[in-house]
Amino acid sequence: MIRPVDLVADIGEILVPEAHIQAKVAELGARISADYTDRQLTLVSVLKGSLPFMADLMRAITIPVRIDLMEVSSYGGTATESSGLVRILKDLSASIEREDVLIVEDIVDTGLTLNYLIRYLRGKNPATLRICTLLDKPARRLVDIPIDYVGFTIPDQFVVGYGLDYGEVYRNLRFVGVLKPEVYSEPA
Amino acid sequence: MTNPAPPPTSGSSVPADARPAFAHASEAEMARILDFYAVRWVYEPDTFPILWNLDGDVVESFSPDFWLPDLGLYLEMTTLRQRLVRKKNRKLRRLRELYPDVRVKLFYARDFRALMLKYGKLALVDALSGTPGQVVGRRRPALPARVDLATLEVASIDAAAIVAPVDGAPIAVLSVEGGNSLEASPCRPVNRPPTPRRRPTRRPRP
């Protein structure tokens, strides 16, 4: 029996309320604006999870910025698993050579995806490459990556909302919440 | 579209058709994940002595499951019972005391479960974890009732070691690990005059 999705009832706890997210995004935007004054900044968002964060963050930045989007396959998420390697599903649309690049992530946990992206983007010879993430979940980190801008450090819980999904849903929640365990214990 | 930089090559140091015999299905799954994200790994390359008897012989050691050379990190998977988690925690504490420069990450059952949840493979967790995930073919054979100490090469004892005389002397220390294997190490009778403890000459990877 397929369990119906309920965007309200499936959330056990609101971890980061909408107001806190917006305040943090404004704070990060101000910091980034100050740090990159008089420089050519390109924000690189990693689809799909970072889309809401990117949309809000770019509007909180008060200096001229360019934006670009990337999408990479996730382990177990597609048929590309059989190839045994991450696949770039959508590459950058413009060169970042000698540009200041800021990767905008929704969440960093193991760091495996981000580690791959950094290595990939460094091959495109940006002037600088830094990281901004809304959520940092350090408990399960495998790859130690210095993160330049962190919104919230969160505990080791499975979170959804504000771009983060489970089974491609819950991304449109305006907050970050903890999914009830029974939701993922039953067939989605 | 710009000139795409070539993606990093596969991180695995072992060709897919020449994989090591993993002791546990969760380790094989972790190897596939590391491969996917182009993180190089080596399976059980090093053994760290963590306990010696009074003669300086190694009686307990720790062999992390993976060495990730690009990250300078050892990774140990633990998806078994809580008793074994406690044992590994104790071993890890000991390792960190003796080798403070060695970085080891212990990946617990809950971490593995969360990883599988993240990758949409939660349904496989039970089959890949704990006792069901153990690879039967790789189990070490049970020791015979009469132990030939000269042929033993593994030195590892549990906290609840059994001291058993073999032909009067010396004494073998036997332990049951994971409920399915026996390891033994020769040691001296307990009433033998102690000799100064010496450290092994082998040092861990810098």
Side-chain angles (χ1 to χ4, degrees):
Chain A
M1 174 149 177
I2 303 295
R3 189 182 194 281
V5 173
D6 187 323
L7 291 181
V8 176
D10 290 353
I11 305 301
E13 173 191 357
I14 295 178
L15 199 61
V16 189
E18 180 184 5
H20 290 204
I21 293 174
Q22 294 309 321
K24 184 60 74 175
V25 168
E27 175 193 323
L28 290 172
R31 279 182 55 200
I32 292 167
S33 302
D35 291 349
Y36 285 92
T37 300
D38 299 327
R39 293 161 70 179
Q40 179 59 58
L41 175 61
T42 299
L43 303 177
V44 173
S45 173
V46 186
L47 297 172
K48 303 172 190 170
S50 64
L51 205 53
F53 181 41
M54 175 71 152
D56 287 344
L57 182 66
M58 61 185 278
R59 288 177 291 175
I61 294 174
T62 56
I63 59 171
V65 293
R66 291 166 50 181
I67 65 165
D68 213 329
L69 306 171
M70 284 191 73
E71 185 173 10
V72 298
S73 61
S74 173
Y75 179 77
T78 67
T80 59
E81 180 191 337
S82 59
S83 71
L85 279 174
V86 177
R87 183 175 292 177
I88 304 293
L89 301 176
K90 188 212 170 299
D91 206 341
L92 297 176
S93 57
S95 172
I96 57 170
E97 191 168 355
R98 293 188 293 275
E99 302 255 340
D100 292 307
V101 174
L102 183 62
I103 298 175
V104 178
E105 273 278 24
D106 49 352
I107 186 168
V108 179
D109 54 4
T110 63
L112 289 170
T113 305
L114 187 55
N115 177 57
Y116 180 89
L117 267 177
I118 289 171
R119 291 158 62 190
Y120 181 77
L121 292 176
R122 277 188 183 144
K124 294 175 178 286
N125 300 314
T128 62
L129 184 61
R130 301 173 82 180
I131 317 294
C132 176
T133 184
L134 178 70
L135 305 174
D136 181 19
K137 191 196 287 186
R140 214 175 306 116
R141 185 83 88 250
L142 287 178
V143 187
D144 265 337
I145 299 172
I147 302 175
D148 305 279
Y149 303 95
V150 177
F152 303 94
T153 299
I154 62 169
D156 189 10
Q157 292 176 297
F158 190 78
V159 293
V160 295
Y162 199 65
L164 293 147
D165 78 305
Y166 173 65
E168 291 296 330
V169 291
Y170 305 102
R171 293 189 195 277
N172 56 322
L173 293 174
R174 301 168 73 92
F175 53 83
V176 174
V178 179
L179 203 59
K180 287 179 178 173
E182 55 263 36
V183 175
Y184 46 79
S185 299
E186 298 174 23
Chain B
M1 188 78 82
T2 56
N3 297 327
T9 55
S10 173
S12 172
S13 57
V14 181
D17 57 354
R19 291 298 181 88
F22 293 104
H24 200 275
S26 61
E27 297 167 2
E29 184 69 12
M30 179 56 78
R32 284 191 288 272
I33 293 171
L34 294 171
D35 279 350
F36 187 84
Y37 289 103
V39 176
R40 291 191 303 146
W41 54 266
V42 185
Y43 185 63
E44 291 186 343
D46 295 311
T47 297
F48 298 95
I50 57 173
L51 193 64
W52 296 261
N53 66 13
L54 294 177
D55 287 340
D57 302 317
V58 176
V59 293
E60 188 170 17
S61 57
F62 188 27
S63 302
D65 296 323
F66 293 98
W67 163 244
L68 311 180
D70 297 332
L71 309 180
L73 178 73
Y74 287 94
L75 181 60
E76 173 71 11
M77 307 283 293
T78 301
T79 62
L80 294 172
R81 296 188 302 271
Q82 190 59 34
R83 186 186 72 83
L84 291 170
V85 172
R86 284 196 297 272
K87 176 184 174 184
K88 285 205 176 176
N89 282 338
R90 179 183 58 79
K91 280 188 165 187
L92 191 60
R93 279 196 302 274
R94 181 78 177 147
L95 181 109
R96 285 174 173 153
E97 289 168 3
L98 295 169
Y99 308 93
D101 296 333
V102 173
R103 294 176 61 230
V104 184
K105 169 80 175 177
L106 197 55
F107 223 67
Y108 295 98
R110 65 171 181 270
D111 298 322
F112 184 67
R113 181 179 173 82
L115 203 62
M116 292 294 97
L117 173 60
K118 172 184 172 180
Y119 295 133
K121 299 182 119 187
L122 191 63
L124 297 179
V125 164
D126 288 342
L128 297 176
S129 303
T131 304
Q134 290 176 345
V135 179
V136 176
R138 195 178 179 274
R139 289 178 181 175
R140 298 185 183 96
L143 292 175
R146 183 184 177 90
V147 180
D148 179 2
L149 295 177
T151 65
L152 297 177
E153 57 182 31
V154 179
S156 175
I157 60 169
D158 198 345
I162 305 165
V163 178
V166 178
D167 288 342
I171 287 175
V173 176
L174 308 176
S175 73
V176 179
E177 183 170 0
N180 64 357
S181 66
L182 284 168
E183 297 181 353
S185 170
C187 67
R188 301 293 183 185
V190 292
N191 58 354
R192 180 188 172 90
T195 54
R197 176 178 298 194
R198 65 176 184 273
R199 301 287 290 269
T201 55
R202 185 178 181 283
R203 302 301 301 167
R205 181 190 303 272

